[in-house]
Amino acid sequence: MSNEPKKETQDAGAMPDWSAYRGVLIVIEQRDGEAKKVSWQLLGEGKKLAAKLEVPLLALVIGNGVEPLAKEAAYYGADKVYLCEAPELGVYRTRPYSRICLKLIDEVKPEIVLFGATGTGRDLAGAIATHLPTGLTADTTELDVEPHPSRLLLASRPAFSEKMMATILCKQYRPQMATARAGVFQALPRDETREAEIIRIESLMPEEEIAAQVIDFIRDTGNLNLEEADIIVSGGRGLGGPEPFAMLKELADALGGVVGASRAAVDAGWIKHEHQVGQTGSTVRPKLYFAIGISGAVQHTVGMGNSDIVIAINRDEKATIFQFAHYGIVGDLFKIVPAITEEVKKRKS
Ligand code: FAD
């Protein structure tokens, strides 16, 4: 308990002196020693913020046997990495992880702390925010800072049923904290020549003090992870019904990818919402994105426009999606998709 600072209130009129708080801290999320891509994306964005503020980019890695990730954090841009390793940290649990974060924030005093807006990141950031005299902006899609002297984090996110963007400031308190959507920000190219100071910190709760015990870990049987996927084969209203999604799944399987969808297909009940790409779905940044029978509405392209390569298949040569495509195929998707799948399978065998 002693490591959890009490929530304090502040006179809203007075601008406190926050000069002791410096640096941008990214909390790296991992599972089984593998980092979530959003962590590296946040290091990329954090680097820009840190450069504007002229402060170091800090990373925190928590887990068991995760030293390689501390090095990876350096390769992706961190100047200094705090590493906390212990057997009881092998699986994420709120209390031990949040204690470590709180103590580090208390001692290092970063002015900005960022987490991925994943299930774990949301849980951890929320737990920390309840113990700190500060706020938390959830699910941000744009980040910027005002330079010195205000040094304010400009954390933007869709608001009012996604109809407008709201930029949220935390003027009175530090650190300024936000969770950020996966797939929105760009990671720096991995560079093994980058070095960082790695500082080991102690785990704070021995196993016997942790009330929550993990009995078993059951993976989602659907195993859909759009935001982490390298290849996405998305279908839209042009598919005309739920059945053709099996055809897209066949192509996705052949390529080692997953199936995505436009909102029109989801709203029609042809595929579950977890597959939806776009403003009210997932923001994705795969190496390869197929947009099949999708017209290219802004609410869709905002979620996939950062893909490395986009292949659009549409029978309407004037469809907007072709403006976002690196390769466009004009024609009937029911002829083109099976032909691509067949060719992929042939080349693999
Ligand atoms: P359509 O626009 O109907 O396009 C279908 C395409 O299929 C057409 O271009 C057509 O030429 C092509 N086609 C038809 N038959 C064939 C064929 N046999 N072969 C080849 N091509 C064919 N949309 C999203 O996707 N994601 C979101 O997150 C999202 N959020 C939204 C949030 C708000 C607040 C609002 C207002 C809208 C949102 N939308 C979102 C909806 C968005 O505006 C579009 O309505 C939707 O993206 C259209 O889906 P679509 O491209 O599949 O359908």
Side-chain angles (χ1 to χ4, degrees):
M1 287 292 174
S2 58
N3 294 313
E4 297 179 352
K6 289 224 163 58
K7 195 131 183 144
E8 292 160 10
T9 53
Q10 196 99 39
D11 172 5
M15 188 66 190
D17 175 15
W18 293 114
S19 55
Y21 282 76
R22 288 291 181 263
V24 177
L25 174 67
I26 311 298
V27 179
I28 305 297
E29 183 180 335
Q30 59 85 24
R31 184 170 290 168
D32 299 332
E34 198 176 319
K36 293 272 171 187
K37 273 189 193 170
V38 66
S39 299
W40 306 148
Q41 291 162 359
L42 280 179
L43 281 176
E45 190 65 14
K47 196 80 177 169
K48 289 187 211 159
L49 306 180
K52 274 194 178 178
L53 295 168
E54 299 180 2
V55 291
L57 178 63
L58 317 172
L60 170 60
V61 178
I62 306 175
N64 189 28
V66 287
E67 189 177 354
L69 289 185
K71 294 198 179 119
E72 286 293 319
Y75 301 158
Y76 281 104
D79 300 308
K80 198 183 271 191
V81 185
Y82 296 92
L83 172 63
C84 187
E85 289 187 295
E88 64 273 15
L89 300 171
V91 178
Y92 171 75
R93 281 175 288 179
T94 312
R95 291 296 292 282
Y97 271 58
S98 60
R99 285 271 183 105
I100 293 160
C101 293
L102 284 164
K103 185 152 188 278
L104 188 81
I105 290 169
D106 189 41
E107 289 178 3
V108 174
K109 297 189 170 33
E111 59 203 295
I112 293 172
V113 185
L114 302 175
F115 310 78
T118 58
T120 300
R122 288 181 174 130
D123 181 74
L124 182 59
I128 293 168
T130 58
H131 288 287
L132 287 175
T134 192
L136 170 68
T137 306
D139 223 11
T140 54
T141 54
E142 284 175 30
L143 293 167
D144 202 354
V145 281
E146 275 183 5
H148 198 75
S150 90
R151 311 177 70 85
L152 282 171
L153 176 68
L154 311 175
S156 303
R157 52 155 298 152
F160 295 106
S161 306
E162 315 262 334
K163 289 195 177 71
M164 59 189 288
M165 289 293 282
T167 299
I168 297 160
L169 313 182
C170 178
K171 286 186 169 176
Q172 297 291 331
Y173 302 102
R174 293 291 182 277
Q176 304 162 93
M177 302 210 303
T179 62
R181 264 195 215 178
V184 177
F185 301 109
Q186 188 160 23
L188 293 169
R190 185 177 178 276
D191 180 354
E192 290 191 18
T193 64
R194 284 199 193 103
E195 288 182 11
E197 184 185 357
I198 297 178
I199 301 165
R200 285 190 175 270
I201 56 174
E202 280 178 20
S203 173
L204 297 170
M205 288 182 87
E207 183 64 50
E208 54 277 16
E209 281 183 29
I210 306 172
Q213 304 293 315
V214 178
I215 310 289
D216 198 2
F217 193 87
I218 301 163
R219 287 192 184 276
D220 181 358
T221 45
N223 210 19
L224 178 73
N225 198 345
L226 272 185
E227 284 149 6
E228 298 271 314
D230 281 337
I231 298 174
I232 299 175
V233 180
S234 280
R237 203 189 326 251
L239 268 66
E243 294 82 13
F245 273 99
M247 179 176 75
L248 266 53
K249 174 93 169 59
E250 204 181 335
L251 175 56
D253 286 347
L255 290 166
V258 297
V259 173
S262 73
R263 179 164 159 175
V266 172
D267 284 354
W270 300 343
I271 189 163
K272 286 191 193 155
H273 177 262
E274 61 181 341
H275 294 265
Q276 186 179 315
V277 173
Q279 191 180 319
T280 40
S282 295
T283 305
V284 298
R285 193 184 266 277
K287 292 185 178 143
L288 179 59
Y289 187 89
F290 279 88
I292 302 172
I294 292 175
S295 60
V298 63
Q299 294 89 354
H300 186 81
T301 55
V302 77
M304 46 63 73
N306 284 324
S307 306
D308 289 351
I309 294 178
V310 175
I311 300 177
I313 303 171
N314 199 302
R315 67 180 177 194
D316 175 7
E317 62 180 0
K318 295 200 176 75
T320 314
I321 193 67
F322 287 126
Q323 293 170 19
F324 295 83
H326 300 85
Y327 301 95
I329 306 172
V330 179
D332 183 4
L333 67 91
F334 293 97
K335 289 189 183 135
I336 295 161
V337 175
I340 296 175
T341 308
E342 195 186 321
E343 187 62 27
V344 172
K345 285 183 177 171
K346 206 190 294 171
R347 288 184 189 214
K348 274 174 74 181
S349 60

